[in-house]
Amino acid sequence: MTERGLLIVLSGPSGVGKGTVRKELFSQPDTKLQYSISMTTRSPRDGELDGIDYFFKSREEFENLIEADKLLEWAEYVGNYYGTPVDYVEETLQKGKDVFLEIEVQGALQVRKAFPEGLFIFLMPPSLSELKNRIVTRGTESEDLINNRMKVAREEIEMMDAYDYVVENDKVELACDRIMSIVTAEHCKRERVSRRYKKIMEAEF
Amino acid sequence: MTERGLLIVLSGPSGVGKGTVRKELFSQPDTKLQYSISMTTRSPRDGELDGIDYFFKSREEFENLIEADKLLEWAEYVGNYYGTPVDYVEETLQKGKDVFLEIEVQGALQVRKAFPEGLFIFLMPPSLSELKNRIVTRGTESEDLINNRMKVAREEIEMMDAYDYVVENDKVELACDRIMSIVTAEHCKRERVSRRYKKIMEAEF
């Protein structure tokens, strides 16, 4: 009767600091999140272990997994494949653990298709939240600079729409607190709790 | 362009400790919640101030407000009316403050009708979460005791269905943390954040 874990996907525009936030989250001693181990075709670096740092695979093995639809998301960078193995995620969720994925926006959209019930968090650059102040002071800035900033802002606001939550990365610690609050709140959702108790009652009577 | 605050309603079975949790929440110096001041027809006690402890009204005034649909919820106890004035709640929300209400289950159902977008939190007695363990050890308990416990549990599980979140009151501090996490998470909901930015963009361009 273990309750299935949550799949938590952290994503956002490149350069927003997803990796830093993820490292901070996992440096906390009381974290109950399980980091999703990626799969790659690149060679292990000194000290990297298979099944801990990455699942290391040959190109052929990786392509077979793509073919068999065994990757939640994947991409090719500088001649190597990187991806998230669906079986590992699925088994960890079934054990009742919350799985945490930190990936690029394109990957997040792929994951959403396979796990629509996942919890998708958009890490927002503080530049966007400063937008309003900047608009107010724009008298002092060039038209080009303002137009470019507006274009980026518009793209980021559109990007958000694929997510469930938006967390501003103004300070890494604050961003982590918000992410942990979201996870706590999701575990308190009535559907989840009520389903658990209804199962207990049914099982016993 | 102030974002409307959230209406947070804490309720649950009588005796679960709603008042204790509410007091603990408001004893925290960094709370940003605004406690909703109740209206009553009972006389002020020593030291109680109008507009701080309660809004004190005559019976006639109160009945006129009921008539005019100006109470979010109300009830009569030992000859006195108690209720939540809708105007105060509405004005506070419009200032962008989160309003916190702690009320009985019947009142919560009334509030839900007027504010379906509110955040309804069910405070769950720890006796319910201990249900599973108790079932396992039931060999040592009388049939009557078990049946009665099951009846109560069934009622509580059904009560939950009208709420958005369920928070176990195993420890007051933990319950408060969960409630604050729920409030934080709700402020990070994409619809809220995205709406705010879309408004900024529209207002400026």
Side-chain angles (χ1 to χ4, degrees):
Chain A
M1 198 117 52
T2 308
E3 181 80 6
R4 198 177 148 84
L6 297 167
L7 177 66
I8 300 136
V9 178
L10 183 72
S11 189
S14 51
V16 70
K18 296 186 284 294
T20 313
V21 169
R22 186 248 304 159
K23 276 178 205 139
E24 174 69 21
L25 270 175
F26 283 92
S27 76
Q28 295 173 10
D30 59 341
T31 182
K32 283 177 190 147
L33 303 174
Q34 175 69 45
Y35 182 57
S36 165
I37 302 165
S38 293
M39 194 172 273
T40 184
T41 57
R42 81 154 166 74
S43 308
R45 290 178 193 143
D46 269 358
E48 281 185 348
L49 295 170
D50 186 47
I52 302 229
D53 298 290
Y54 281 96
F55 295 110
F56 294 102
K57 298 284 169 188
S58 71
R59 246 187 121 72
E60 199 193 336
E61 285 172 316
F62 203 102
E63 284 169 354
N64 286 341
L65 289 167
I66 297 175
E67 201 63 30
D69 215 15
K70 287 292 190 189
L71 293 163
L72 252 186
E73 53 86 33
W74 63 274
E76 199 171 1
Y77 296 110
V78 261
N80 283 307
Y81 287 122
Y82 293 83
T84 304
V86 68
D87 287 350
Y88 176 77
V89 168
E90 187 53 51
E91 283 159 21
T92 314
L93 292 174
Q94 277 182 17
K95 284 180 197 154
K97 285 194 171 176
D98 296 335
V99 177
F100 184 90
L101 265 178
E102 175 241 313
I103 46 177
E104 299 301 321
V105 170
Q106 284 311 314
L109 296 176
Q110 288 182 53
V111 176
R112 179 114 250 182
K113 279 181 202 157
F115 280 89
E117 78 281 16
L119 217 148
F120 290 78
I121 304 176
F122 183 82
L123 195 64
M124 188 182 88
S127 58
L128 188 57
S129 82
E130 288 157 15
L131 188 67
K132 215 193 147 203
N133 300 332
R134 287 190 179 175
I135 289 169
V136 173
T137 60
R138 68 177 162 176
T140 61
E141 290 178 347
S142 83
E143 201 69 17
D144 269 8
L145 196 67
I146 294 159
N147 287 342
N148 185 52
R149 184 171 297 154
M150 285 305 127
K151 190 171 158 283
V152 171
R154 210 168 287 122
E155 284 166 3
E156 288 170 350
I157 294 165
E158 272 173 30
M159 245 184 235
M160 272 184 208
D161 283 341
Y163 294 79
D164 303 304
Y165 292 97
V166 177
V167 163
E168 187 184 346
N169 191 17
D170 45 355
K171 280 190 184 164
V172 177
E173 294 73 21
L174 290 177
C176 286
D177 285 351
R178 291 178 196 124
I179 292 169
M180 291 316 300
S181 287
I182 292 168
V183 174
T184 299
E186 285 283 326
H187 277 288
C188 293
K189 280 239 173 117
R190 189 254 306 160
E191 296 86 341
R192 257 184 104 77
V193 181
S194 146
R195 198 191 313 132
R196 188 164 66 237
Y197 283 102
K198 282 174 182 168
K199 266 189 200 165
I200 296 177
M201 299 296 278
E202 271 169 32
E204 295 291 327
F205 295 91
Chain B
M1 198 115 54
T2 308
E3 180 80 6
R4 197 176 152 83
L6 297 167
L7 177 65
I8 300 136
V9 179
L10 183 71
S11 189
S14 52
V16 69
K18 297 186 284 293
T20 314
V21 169
R22 186 249 303 159
K23 276 178 205 140
E24 174 68 23
L25 269 174
F26 284 91
S27 75
Q28 295 173 10
D30 59 341
T31 182
K32 284 176 188 147
L33 301 175
Q34 175 69 45
Y35 183 57
S36 166
I37 303 166
S38 292
M39 192 171 274
T40 184
T41 57
R42 80 155 166 75
S43 308
R45 292 182 190 139
D46 269 358
E48 281 185 346
L49 295 168
D50 186 46
I52 302 230
D53 298 290
Y54 281 96
F55 296 112
F56 294 102
K57 299 284 170 189
S58 72
R59 247 188 120 74
E60 198 192 337
E61 286 172 317
F62 203 103
E63 283 169 354
N64 286 341
L65 289 167
I66 297 175
E67 202 63 32
D69 215 15
K70 288 291 189 190
L71 293 163
L72 253 185
E73 53 86 33
W74 63 273
E76 199 170 1
Y77 296 110
V78 260
N80 283 307
Y81 288 123
Y82 293 83
T84 304
V86 69
D87 287 351
Y88 175 77
V89 168
E90 187 54 51
E91 284 159 20
T92 314
L93 291 175
Q94 276 183 18
K95 284 181 196 154
K97 284 193 174 177
D98 297 336
V99 177
F100 184 90
L101 266 179
E102 175 241 313
I103 45 178
E104 299 299 322
V105 170
Q106 285 310 315
L109 296 176
Q110 287 183 55
V111 177
R112 178 115 250 182
K113 279 182 201 155
F115 280 88
E117 77 281 16
L119 216 149
F120 290 77
I121 303 176
F122 183 82
L123 195 64
M124 188 181 87
S127 59
L128 188 56
S129 82
E130 288 158 15
L131 188 65
K132 216 193 149 205
N133 301 331
R134 286 189 178 176
I135 289 169
V136 173
T137 59
R138 68 177 162 175
T140 61
E141 291 178 346
S142 82
E143 201 68 17
D144 268 9
L145 196 68
I146 294 159
N147 287 342
N148 186 51
R149 184 171 295 153
M150 285 305 126
K151 189 172 159 282
V152 171
R154 209 169 286 121
E155 284 166 3
E156 288 170 351
I157 293 166
E158 271 173 32
M159 244 184 235
M160 273 186 205
D161 283 342
Y163 294 78
D164 303 304
Y165 292 96
V166 176
V167 164
E168 187 184 345
N169 191 17
D170 45 354
K171 280 191 184 162
V172 177
E173 295 74 21
L174 290 177
C176 286
D177 285 351
R178 290 177 196 126
I179 292 169
M180 292 317 300
S181 287
I182 290 169
V183 175
T184 300
E186 285 283 326
H187 278 287
C188 292
K189 279 237 173 121
R190 188 255 306 161
E191 296 85 343
R192 257 184 104 78
V193 181
S194 148
R195 198 192 314 129
R196 187 164 69 238
Y197 283 102
K198 282 175 183 167
K199 266 189 199 165
I200 296 176
M201 299 296 280
E202 270 170 33
E204 295 290 328
F205 295 89

